[in-house]
Amino acid sequence: MGKQEIIEELARGKIVEEIIDNVCKTNSVEMKDLAQDIYLSLLEKDEKRIQKLYDNQQLSFFIAKMVTNNYFSETSPFYTKYKKFSARSEELKNGF
């Protein structure tokens, strides 16, 4: 099975979304953006790496680590694009 088929299988089963729910313990609008970022990142990874993780049944763990790093790190692209913006928006809405 190739990388494309593996990622399609993940998407059909909503595996990334399930992992996000388990790791982040929230169901905010940002989680859809995080899922899309994770899928995009997986598509950009080396095909052999994805296949090896899948064959060794380690892909879910790898995705969970990606989710953790993106959601909880203040230096991640996800934080910069979404969480930081969301926090600043709330500050403006609440009058600082």
Side-chain angles (χ1 to χ4, degrees):
M1 185 180 303
K3 176 176 75 170
Q4 186 74 28
E5 291 85 11
I6 292 169
I7 295 171
E8 285 176 10
E9 182 180 308
L10 292 172
R12 277 193 300 275
K14 296 190 181 278
I15 303 301
V16 171
E17 292 83 352
E18 185 178 310
I19 291 171
I20 289 171
D21 286 343
N22 290 334
V23 170
C24 302
K25 306 290 187 211
T26 183
N27 195 8
S28 70
V29 175
E30 296 170 338
M31 297 307 102
K32 291 180 183 179
D33 295 322
L34 178 57
Q36 291 303 310
D37 282 357
I38 297 297
Y39 284 120
L40 179 60
S41 183
L42 289 170
L43 287 167
E44 293 172 344
K45 300 269 184 245
D46 180 60
E47 180 149 358
K48 289 181 183 178
R49 184 174 189 193
I50 296 296
Q51 286 177 329
K52 183 177 178 183
L53 289 167
Y54 181 80
D55 292 341
N56 294 330
Q57 298 180 340
Q58 296 174 334
L59 189 56
S60 292
F61 175 77
F62 181 74
I63 293 169
K65 193 65 175 167
M66 289 174 67
V67 168
T68 301
N69 289 343
N70 276 280
Y71 186 73
F72 293 105
S73 172
E74 291 186 2
T75 59
S76 73
F78 176 75
Y79 178 84
T80 304
K81 282 192 268 185
Y82 303 106
K83 286 181 76 175
K84 187 175 182 180
F85 173 77
S86 179
R88 297 262 168 100
S89 296
E90 284 298 317
E91 287 175 5
L92 290 172
K93 260 196 325 196
N94 296 328
F96 301 94

